[in-house]
């Protein structure tokens, strides 16, 4: 595969998949790292940055998933909000790095696109 | 165009260290590197690694480590700093590490293995 370099002879059990979509004139790049019972989604532009990083998972004590921001100048609300929604939908531990400025229309389109991809490629998540 | 979807660039692979299957994924961002080294197929502990501004000893760069998520064990800081000296490429590193065995021998093996995952 052109997108990844395989460095050893033993097979890597983690998967990395990329896709892209034009949303509101933004070229949006997606990358999904699939792990055991968890995944990491990166959403960003052509010049890929890892500005924020949040994690979310469902708990037994609350209907809403619990989330935490780990990297980000400000509290990274967009990554955390997206992580919560994905955690609720998948019941997995979800890491999200969302690298666009605050724009709720774009965020909801990104979410919609991710949901579509989960239908097309459930094995990626 | 196939070339357009490769961003951010990632390298992945696996190796066996002392009988433990070890998956490694390294992703290159403009402002940071992300490296996942796992024997559990999970992120485990997340460590943020920055290069020190003014090293005490100029021959060997120092790194500051901060646990973002997971167990804050001293040995994790030691491993993270040592691995950083192999994979550091001028940007802060976000390291996800989950090892079944955190012995010095495993760390040294990882230092060698990680040379193939530099960007």
């Amino acid at each position: 595969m052109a997108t990844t370099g395989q460095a050893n002879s033993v097979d890597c059990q983690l998967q990395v998949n990329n896709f892209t979509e034009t949303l509101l004139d933004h070229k949006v790049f997606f990358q999904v790292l699939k792990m055991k019972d968890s995944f990491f989604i990166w959403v960003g532009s052509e010049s890929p940055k890892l500005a924020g990083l949040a994690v979310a998972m469902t708990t037994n004590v609350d209907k809403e998933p619990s989330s935490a921001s780990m990297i980000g100048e400000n509290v990274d609300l967009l990554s955390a909000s997206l992580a919560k929604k994905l955690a609720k939908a998948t019941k997995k531990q979800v890491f999200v790095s969302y690298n666009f400025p605050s724009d709720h229309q774009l965020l909801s389109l990104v979410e919609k696109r991710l949901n579509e991809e989960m239908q097309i490629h459930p094995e990626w998540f | 165009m196939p070339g357009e979807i490769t961003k951010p660039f990632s390298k992945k692979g696996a190796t066996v260290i002392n009988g433990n299957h070890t998956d490694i994924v390294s992703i290159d961002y403009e402002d940071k590197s992300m490296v996942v080294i796992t024997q559990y197929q999970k992120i485990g502990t997340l460590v943020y690694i920055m290069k020190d501004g003014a090293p005490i000893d100029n021959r060997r760069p120092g790194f500051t480590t901060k646990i973002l998520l997971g167990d804050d064990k001293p040995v994790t800081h030691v491993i993270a700093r040592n691995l950083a000296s192999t994979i550091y490429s001028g940007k802060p590193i976000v390291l996800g590490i989950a090892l079944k065995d955190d012995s010095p021998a495993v760390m040294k093996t990882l230092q060698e293995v990680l040379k193939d995952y530099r960007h």
Side-chain angles (χ1 to χ4, degrees), chain A residues 4-8 10-14 18 20 27 29 31 35-36 40 42 46-50 70, chain B residues 4-8 10 12-14 21 23 25 27 29-32 41-43 46 68-69 94 117:
Chain A
T4 48
Q6 192 79 25
N8 288 72
V10 191
D11 280 342
C12 184
Q13 293 169 350
L14 310 181
N18 296 285
T20 180
K27 184 119 195 167
F29 291 74
Q31 187 170 59
M35 296 166 285
K36 194 180 175 189
F40 165 55
W42 176 90
E46 211 161 355
S47 40
K49 291 204 165 81
L50 189 73
M70 298 177 288
Chain B
E4 284 186 299
I5 57 162
T6 60
K7 288 175 181 177
S10 66
K12 70 179 178 111
H21 179 94
D23 293 306
V25 177
I27 308 171
Y29 300 98
E30 279 190 352
D31 57 339
K32 292 178 189 75
Q41 292 139 56
K42 292 184 178 192
I43 276 187
L46 259 187
L68 298 173
L69 183 75
V94 178
Y117 294 87

Side-chain angles (χ1 to χ4, degrees), chain A residues 18-83:
Chain A
N18 296 285
F19 55 99
T20 180
E21 187 71 66
T22 303
L23 301 168
L24 300 175
D25 293 337
H26 293 278
K27 184 119 195 167
V28 182
F29 291 74
F30 296 84
Q31 187 170 59
V32 189
L33 168 64
K34 184 200 165 99
M35 296 166 285
K36 194 180 175 189
D37 305 322
S38 61
F39 58 92
F40 165 55
I41 289 185
W42 176 90
V43 185
S45 70
E46 211 161 355
S47 40
K49 291 204 165 81
L50 189 73
L53 181 62
V55 62
M57 58 183 125
T58 52
T59 65
N60 290 331
V61 292
D62 197 342
K63 269 192 281 182
E64 286 304 306
S66 187
S67 72
S69 297
M70 298 177 288
I71 307 179
E73 295 268 314
N74 314 311
V75 181
D76 189 8
L77 292 172
L78 298 177
S79 296
S81 138
L82 190 54

